[in-house]
């Protein structure tokens, strides 16, 4: 199939070229938007990523260009108007699971770095400063970790934290049977927030979960708790979190995703003036660690993303029903 890949980086090209067997693919660095959409002309399918917004207008244009298939090289699909795609007769497929370990382990990396401040120690020692002043951390052992959303990633994360000797509490409208069997306790959201030293978000972004962490739910958290978000930025009302950091209600924030990450994350903006004042404010806190949506970024995950995306294309061409269809 002839597929136009939007919003690509050199690593996308590397992995997709490595595993491509029969498709005719073209890589565009530009994101998919009203200005770039004409590049999809002459293709049958397009491949997009997390921050390409496929609203009804874009979908109608894709339909008029003859696009039959949208393949998402990611799990989340909150950026696609699925109803519009359905009406336009365009199939949408995703990669629901590629490596839950990649994201769960990144959540742990954020926790460990914020707690033990290895990023600060690294810089200090390089400058000949061997002082331990202000590097105090805490034992994870016996701390309570609240996991919101216990699907594929939340399950792996909960198991990792259990391995550290933490008490894990979970909140999910559809409890995970394997975790329940392993003795993980499911409780309501407020109780989870009340009791957790660390709260980690692993649910999808939906209308029900948008700003799940807001002024009111933050007030239910333990004073000085650590908040980790590797899921989707808009699960958090960022402005409310900034206020909670200022008042020290939230003691640590680790975020791999950000509400307004589009056009910022994944790009080298080091020579530009950052226009996002909220992100700029977040970057000033000594107890905030921001990574730019790299939770998925492991060799294993990139390999699976490429293989599953090509399998999705092939299933579509052969008319094989797929569980990856949305
Ligand atoms: P999943 O579908 O396996 O699990 C999601 C879980 O969230 C399900 O158990 C579901 O019941 C639960 N859930 C739904 N609504 C909820 C609510 N209101 N409160 C609590 N739980 C709720 O998904 P997954 O593969 O574990 O991925 C989770 C999320 O991680 C994705 O939606 C995506 O946004 C994010 N993600 C981030 C990265 C990254 O690079 N940072 C990579 C992949 C996925």
């Amino acid at each position: 199939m002839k597929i136009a890949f939007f919003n690509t980086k050199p690593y996308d090209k590397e992995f997709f070229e490595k595993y491509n067997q029969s498709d005719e693919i073209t890589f565009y660095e530009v994101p998919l938007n009203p200005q770039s959409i004409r590049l999809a002309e002459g293709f049958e399918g397009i491949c997009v990523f997390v921050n390409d917004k496929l609203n009804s207008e874009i979908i109608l244009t894709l339909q008029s260009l003859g696009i039959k298939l949208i393949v998402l090289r990611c799990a989340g699909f909150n950026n696609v108007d699925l109803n519009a795609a359905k009406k336009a007769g365009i199939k949408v497929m995703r990669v629901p699971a590629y490596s839950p370990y990649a994201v769960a382990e990144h959540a742990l990396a954020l926790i460990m770095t914020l707690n033990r401040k290895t990023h600060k120690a690294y810089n200090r020692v390089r400058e000949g400063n061997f002082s331990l002043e202000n590097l105090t951390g805490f034992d994870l052992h016996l701390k309570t970790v609240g996991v919101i959303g216990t699907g594929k990633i939340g399950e792996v994360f909960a198991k990792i934290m259990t391995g550290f000797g933490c008490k894990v509490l979970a909140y999910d409208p559809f409890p995970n049977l394997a975790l329940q069997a392993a003795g993980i306790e499911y409780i309501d959201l407020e109780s989870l927030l009340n009791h957790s030293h660390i709260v980690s978000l692993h649910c999808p972004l939906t209308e029900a979960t948008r700003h799940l962490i807001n002024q009111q739910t933050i007030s239910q958290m333990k004073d000085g708790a650590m908040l980790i978000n590797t899921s989707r930025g808009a699960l958090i009302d960022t402005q409310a979190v900034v206020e909670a950091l200022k008042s020290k209600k939230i003691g640590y924030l680790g975020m791999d995703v950000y509400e307004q990450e589009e056009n910022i994350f994944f790009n080298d903006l080091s020579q530009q003036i950052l226009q996002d004042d909220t992100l700029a404010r977040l970057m000033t806190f000594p107890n905030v660690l921001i990574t730019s949506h790299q939770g998925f970024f492991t060799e294993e995950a990139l390999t699976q993303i490429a293989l599953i995306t090509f399998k999705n294309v092939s299933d579509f061409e052969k008319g094989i029903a797929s569980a990856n269809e949305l």
Side-chain angles (χ1 to χ4, degrees):
M1 179 182 259
K2 274 187 87 177
I3 312 165
F5 278 59
F6 284 86
N7 224 339
T8 58
K9 301 286 181 203
Y11 46 82
D12 292 310
K13 208 166 171 228
E14 180 193 332
F15 279 83
F16 279 97
E17 277 181 344
K18 186 169 168 188
Y19 294 105
N20 183 22
Q21 290 191 330
S22 54
D23 292 300
E24 212 180 301
I25 56 184
T26 302
F27 295 96
Y28 295 119
E29 283 178 27
V30 284
L32 180 69
N33 57 36
Q35 289 73 47
S36 66
I37 196 163
R38 287 273 145 210
L39 294 170
E41 199 161 359
F43 291 88
E44 298 156 273
I46 60 161
C47 180
V48 294
F49 197 44
V50 289
N51 290 328
D52 292 301
K53 278 218 174 71
L54 289 102
N55 56 25
S56 55
E57 215 174 295
I58 290 276
I59 295 210
L60 278 176
T61 314
L62 288 172
Q63 182 191 32
S64 71
L65 294 174
I67 294 296
K68 305 269 179 293
L69 175 68
I70 296 168
V71 273
L72 304 173
R73 50 182 192 278
C74 55
F77 52 89
N78 51 284
N79 52 327
V80 186
D81 185 335
L82 292 178
N83 282 333
K86 198 169 187 181
K87 273 191 212 144
I90 302 178
K91 278 230 162 97
V92 184
M93 299 176 89
R94 66 169 179 148
V95 184
Y98 38 87
S99 167
Y101 308 100
V103 186
E105 290 171 15
H106 190 69
L108 175 70
L110 294 177
I111 293 172
M112 292 305 284
T113 309
L114 280 167
N115 174 16
R116 302 307 297 268
K117 305 170 179 67
T118 41
H119 55 321
K120 295 183 186 188
Y122 173 80
N123 286 322
R124 271 192 200 185
V125 169
R126 279 168 68 92
E127 292 187 0
N129 176 357
F130 298 93
S131 149
L132 298 185
E133 215 55 47
N134 298 317
L135 294 184
T136 325
F138 58 85
D139 285 5
L140 282 173
H141 184 241
L142 295 183
K143 293 293 182 299
T144 301
V145 178
V147 185
I148 300 181
T150 51
K152 291 174 283 294
I153 297 170
E155 176 181 337
V156 173
F157 176 75
K159 287 180 178 163
I160 291 173
M161 298 322 293
T162 308
F164 273 82
C166 295
K167 176 179 167 63
V168 174
L169 297 175
Y171 168 70
D172 191 315
F174 302 96
N176 178 316
L177 297 180
L179 287 184
Q180 276 183 323
I184 301 289
E185 189 185 341
Y186 277 82
I187 54 173
D188 62 276
L189 181 61
E190 184 172 353
S191 306
L192 179 143
L193 295 172
N194 281 174
H195 291 106
S196 300
H197 299 96
I198 299 172
V199 173
S200 194
L201 306 178
H202 298 288
C203 55
L205 175 63
T206 62
E207 275 323 302
T209 60
R210 183 174 296 275
H211 287 188
L212 182 82
I213 301 297
N214 53 45
Q215 196 183 15
Q216 191 223 339
T217 48
I218 290 170
S219 73
Q220 296 165 348
M221 289 171 73
K222 260 187 178 319
D223 289 347
M226 183 186 287
L227 177 63
I228 301 292
N229 187 9
T230 55
S231 219
R232 282 293 179 268
L235 292 178
I236 286 182
D237 175 347
T238 315
Q239 205 47 53
V241 167
V242 167
E243 292 310 316
L245 283 160
K246 283 163 77 178
S247 70
K248 302 190 181 163
K249 175 70 186 170
I250 290 181
Y252 311 80
L253 171 67
M255 49 182 259
D256 185 47
V257 285
Y258 170 53
E259 259 187 301
Q260 308 296 339
E261 69 178 50
E262 196 194 339
N263 301 327
I264 301 178
F265 282 13
F266 306 118
N267 297 308
D268 178 0
L269 305 182
S270 55
Q271 301 308 311
Q272 297 182 29
I273 306 298
L274 186 59
Q275 297 296 325
D276 186 315
D277 290 350
T278 308
L279 185 60
R281 180 68 179 101
L282 281 170
M283 286 159 62
T284 66
F285 291 99
N287 51 351
V288 171
L289 179 60
I290 304 168
T291 52
S292 59
H293 209 139
Q294 71 177 78
F296 73 101
F297 207 52
T298 66
E299 289 270 338
E300 290 81 356
L302 290 167
T303 301
Q304 284 305 311
I305 289 171
L307 289 173
I308 296 169
T309 300
F310 286 126
K311 170 86 168 60
N312 284 346
V313 173
S314 148
D315 284 351
F316 171 79
E317 283 184 302
K318 292 179 186 152
I320 298 174
S322 164
N324 298 346
E325 197 181 315
L326 292 165

